[in-house]
Amino acid sequence: MTELAKQDPTTAKLMEQILYEVKRVVVGQDRLLERMMVALLAQGHLLVEGVPGLAKTLTVKTLSQTIGGQFKRIQFTPDLVPSDLVGTRVYNQATGAFGTTLGPVFTNLLLADEINRAPAKVQSALLEVMQERQVTIAGETHKVPSPFLVMATQNPIETEGTYPLPEAQVDRFMMKVLVDYPSDEEERVIVDRVTGPAVSVREVISTQQLAELQKQCRAVYVDPALVDYAVKLVTCTRTPEKHGLKELRQQITFGASPRATINLTEGARALAMLRGRSYALPEDMSDLVPEVLRHRLVLSYDALSSGLTADAVIGQIMRAIPVPPKPLEHIKAKALDESADEKLAA
């Protein structure tokens, strides 16, 4: 455990520098920024939901400027077609042959702005590239650059001209983060920054450095008890009656998939790394549970009509599933008890 407890100071320093640069432009939104860093390290995709004007797009764009590599933005609209995203085959009259024109998904960081404004067939064009990091055009497979990350935004209040995301698409997002209004003090600072001189953001790390950080993240230690905790949380969304939550059986139509368990484990690793540790603690995982599960639960009509939300259901599940002890804490406690027993016996 001694080797596992070591933390590379450069890693923490790089993360601090990235956050510092982003916060020179973006005011507040600490939770969103932390979740974006988790998604970067854990190689997961992020769905950001909030009303207009809360700097969702600005935050993603600013983060991309701190990372060397390609950044592209797609404004999703109802008239978009799948080839506008992934690319298509084009006939060249000069050569008499077909050539492949690659779409904007061939980048390191892709911003899918207002993703719910495009129909399902366009949203589904992202399915392959989000899961397998590749695109198939006319039978030919093309790999996207590495690292590759999709950050999508959506507006929860306008229903006209919007389309719900397909369940298969939603499940490919590691987390769904809800963005709220700023406080009074934060809003004053926002006005000062927007009406003041423009701030330029510098590049902090390269894509090669980011890829190395992602490798380090995969090496963060996760105790088996924590993995069991993730499994129980996710299976409780499918069979709540087995965990003493029989009343939820009628409230949940479909629970979370195994991707949720994987994302909880990978997210706990990334959050532990951000917090300066090379081993995950229970709080690293429990902090991410709402973001990882909220978009994966399909609530029944009864639940929705009674005003029940996915977050409320997740809260009941978290209260029902006991949090495991910190890694090695139970072993230490047992050793202390045995030592005390030996002294009493002597």
Side-chain angles (χ1 to χ4, degrees):
M1 189 65 182
T2 334
E3 290 182 5
L4 290 170
K6 290 179 182 176
Q7 173 69 20
D8 184 0
T10 9
T11 303
K13 191 177 177 183
L14 280 172
M15 297 296 105
E16 284 175 14
Q17 287 174 350
I18 292 172
L19 285 173
Y20 172 76
E21 286 298 316
V22 176
K23 288 184 81 64
R24 288 177 62 213
V25 176
V26 179
V27 180
Q29 307 295 8
D30 292 339
R31 190 175 187 85
L32 172 60
L33 288 173
E34 186 181 59
R35 296 320 185 243
M36 287 171 72
M37 298 297 290
V38 167
L40 276 177
L41 290 173
Q43 305 179 60
H45 307 294
L46 193 66
L47 180 61
V48 184
E49 184 179 284
V51 298
L54 297 184
K56 301 184 296 296
T57 304
L58 176 66
T59 306
V60 177
K61 186 178 177 182
T62 308
L63 178 65
S64 72
Q65 292 172 350
T66 66
I67 302 164
Q70 294 180 307
F71 164 74
K72 290 181 183 174
R73 172 187 172 183
I74 303 174
Q75 184 65 50
F76 278 65
T77 54
D79 60 343
L80 214 62
V81 294
S83 59
D84 292 332
L85 272 64
V86 298
T88 187
R89 298 276 286 174
V90 178
Y91 180 71
N92 189 328
Q93 288 184 340
T95 61
F98 280 92
T100 303
T101 302
L102 300 179
V105 296
F106 287 86
T107 184
N108 295 117
L109 185 57
L110 178 68
L111 172 58
D113 209 4
E114 293 191 290
I115 192 172
N116 57 335
R117 290 208 172 274
K121 68 175 182 179
V122 179
Q123 296 169 6
S124 297
L126 291 174
L127 291 177
E128 182 184 10
V129 71
M130 287 177 71
Q131 181 62 31
E132 301 171 39
R133 267 67 173 180
Q134 67 180 32
V135 168
T136 304
I137 303 172
E140 290 184 14
T141 299
H142 305 269
K143 294 280 185 184
V144 294
S146 181
F148 174 74
L149 182 70
V150 175
M151 290 193 180
T153 66
Q154 68 176 14
N155 182 349
I157 58 173
E158 289 184 67
T159 54
E160 188 177 348
T162 62
Y163 304 83
L165 270 64
E167 293 306 323
Q169 172 77 26
V170 169
D171 195 40
R172 278 164 169 77
F173 284 102
M174 178 184 184
M175 291 180 287
K176 178 181 178 180
V177 183
L178 304 180
V179 182
D180 205 354
Y181 288 108
S183 64
D184 291 353
E185 181 57 37
E186 287 172 345
E187 195 152 347
R188 279 192 288 271
V189 178
I190 289 170
V191 174
D192 290 340
R193 287 198 187 174
V194 173
T195 56
V199 177
S200 57
V201 179
R202 68 182 180 90
E203 181 184 314
V204 176
I205 62 171
S206 64
T207 51
Q208 290 80 10
Q209 286 175 303
L210 177 57
E212 186 55 40
L213 289 177
Q214 290 173 340
K215 284 182 185 176
Q216 290 180 30
C217 183
R218 295 300 295 268
V220 171
Y221 176 73
V222 179
D223 193 79
L226 261 185
V227 179
D228 289 342
Y229 178 54
V231 170
K232 287 176 184 175
L233 286 168
V234 174
T235 55
C236 188
T237 65
R238 304 173 203 151
T239 52
E241 64 276 6
K242 291 183 180 179
H243 299 272
L245 293 172
K246 192 177 178 182
E247 67 278 7
L248 287 184
R249 179 66 278 176
Q250 303 302 318
Q251 312 295 336
I252 305 174
T253 306
F254 294 102
S257 75
R259 278 199 189 102
T261 314
I262 296 167
N263 291 161
L264 279 173
T265 306
E266 295 290 4
R269 280 192 170 117
L271 198 52
M273 192 172 172
L274 280 176
R275 291 171 174 175
R277 283 180 275 102
S278 56
Y279 56 93
L281 294 178
E283 51 264 35
D284 298 324
M285 185 173 286
S286 57
D287 284 355
L288 295 174
V289 173
E291 280 87 0
V292 173
L293 292 184
R294 66 162 58 103
H295 57 298
R296 291 184 159 100
L297 298 187
V298 179
L299 301 185
S300 66
Y301 175 77
D302 290 342
L304 294 172
S305 60
S306 62
L308 191 67
T309 63
D311 282 11
V313 171
I314 293 165
Q316 290 184 55
I317 291 171
M318 291 185 72
R319 287 190 292 273
I321 307 295
V323 179
K326 291 185 179 180
L328 301 185
E329 288 295 321
H330 57 295
I331 298 174
K332 290 177 185 176
K334 186 179 178 183
L336 287 172
D337 290 342
E338 287 174 356
S339 175
D341 291 342
E342 285 172 6
K343 285 179 183 178
L344 285 172

